[in-house]
Amino acid sequence: MSLTRDSAESSRRGGRSARPRGGVDVATLVGLAAAAVVIFVAMASGGSLRAFVDPPSLIIVLGGTLAVTTASFSLADVAIAWRDAGAVLIHRTSDPRGVARQVLLLAEAARRAPETLRNVLPELRHESFLHRSVTLVAEGLPPDDIERMLIGEVEASGAGKVKSAGVLRRASEVAPAMGLIGTLVGLVQMLGSLNDPSSIGPAMALALLTTFYGAVLGNVALAPLAAKVERTAEEDALVKTLYTIGAVSIARQENPRRLEMLLNAVLPPGKRIQYFDRDSDRGSPRGA
């Protein structure tokens, strides 16, 4: 059996391929770029762009945000959060329908010939969790042990992504606060040197630009990235849950039709499949 060939056949019947699609997350990049363009146009239309460049303000906002966020978590947590934030810009996505169909293909093949699972393992290396799941089934581990191991991995992975989103969320809250602190510093400097007109301008720039930098960093960059990490974690958990249900069902040698019902119970309403009904409507013997 070639899983790749059968997956292509499933795709022609209305499903999408389960192979993860890598590439740039267009929605995130377009959204961030559009916000940056709007802000840039507003800055350029009012005068010189140099008026919006102030290194001390950047140091206060960027350095302060990083320092306070690190104090709230740990160096490792912050490093992982930045890694996850970068990963959501270029990530691999799997269509839940395609994943469900792939699981049903594996279930049908395993029901006809159990040794098929070992033969298809090389085709599954592009998806590490699925490869690991099928390997556990092929090795003959008890279904309860497989379920416990895979569910534990899903929960651990999800908890890590939730923590990364929490780090980014915390940073998005700290950035505007650091901007306000910079504003207060600038106002104190300005009020303390009113007798020196040459120092009023730099102090006022520090006062205003730190608020601007903090608002932009927190609301335009960090908050959207935190939301994206959360959404990516939910999508990843759904895919891994589908693979877990499939692996346990195959290990228990359940009827693939029952597996279809289990998968549809997890899939969102708009993503549910009719794998065997579609075949029966066309007179196909599959699933009989």
Side-chain angles (χ1 to χ4, degrees):
M1 174 220 181
S2 173
L3 184 62
T4 302
R5 183 176 63 252
D6 283 1
S7 295
E9 178 186 346
S10 173
S11 177
R12 287 194 298 271
R13 292 200 308 260
R16 295 183 181 179
S17 173
R19 184 178 293 273
R21 302 186 299 276
V24 176
D25 187 337
V26 177
T28 302
L29 291 181
V30 169
L32 295 177
V37 168
V38 170
I39 296 172
F40 179 83
V41 170
M43 292 165 54
S45 62
S48 173
L49 291 176
R50 290 193 175 186
F52 292 90
V53 179
D54 187 68
S57 298
L58 282 172
I59 292 174
I60 291 175
V61 173
L62 295 178
T65 299
L66 180 60
V68 174
T69 304
T70 303
S72 302
F73 294 90
S74 68
L75 287 173
D77 291 339
V78 173
I80 293 173
W82 291 123
R83 183 197 66 190
D84 289 341
V88 300
L89 300 177
I90 303 177
H91 69 290
R92 293 152 57 89
T93 60
S94 297
D95 178 66
R97 285 181 176 176
V99 169
R101 291 181 179 279
Q102 184 182 32
V103 169
L104 288 169
L105 282 170
L106 284 169
E108 284 189 294
R111 195 182 187 198
R112 290 194 296 264
E115 67 277 5
T116 302
L117 293 179
R118 291 186 179 276
N119 298 333
V120 301
L121 281 176
E123 300 180 32
L124 306 179
R125 294 191 181 277
H126 64 274
E127 177 52 65
S128 59
F129 187 85
L130 175 60
H131 184 272
R132 191 156 49 253
S133 302
V134 175
T135 299
L136 294 176
V137 177
E139 293 295 333
L141 269 69
D144 291 343
D145 291 347
I146 295 175
E147 184 175 22
R148 184 170 56 254
M149 294 171 61
L150 295 181
I151 289 179
E153 184 172 346
V154 172
E155 292 176 349
S157 176
K161 293 292 178 59
V162 169
K163 179 177 287 188
S164 294
V167 171
L168 295 172
R169 191 79 65 189
R170 174 60 176 160
S172 70
E173 297 170 353
V174 170
M178 294 307 304
L180 178 59
I181 291 173
T183 296
L184 296 176
V185 171
L187 289 176
V188 170
Q189 292 177 349
M190 184 184 68
L191 294 175
S193 58
L194 289 177
N195 58 345
D196 183 8
S198 63
S199 63
I200 295 178
M204 181 62 74
L206 178 64
L208 296 179
L209 285 178
T210 48
T211 299
F212 172 72
Y213 290 154
V216 171
L217 179 63
N219 297 288
V220 178
L222 295 174
L225 287 176
K228 199 70 176 184
V229 170
E230 289 176 346
R231 180 178 178 181
T232 301
E234 293 173 356
E235 295 174 348
D236 183 65
L238 174 59
V239 169
K240 289 182 177 180
T241 299
L242 295 174
Y243 285 144
T244 299
I245 293 173
V248 174
S249 178
I250 294 172
R252 290 173 176 165
Q253 299 180 348
E254 296 177 340
N255 192 310
R257 288 182 176 272
R258 182 176 186 277
L259 174 58
E260 181 183 17
M261 291 187 292
L262 294 174
L263 296 174
N264 280 330
V266 175
L267 288 167
K271 296 289 186 179
R272 290 172 182 168
I273 61 173
Q274 294 180 334
Y275 184 83
F276 292 104
D277 290 344
R278 185 186 302 272
D279 287 338
S280 62
D281 290 343
R282 299 189 180 189
S284 170
R286 296 182 65 173

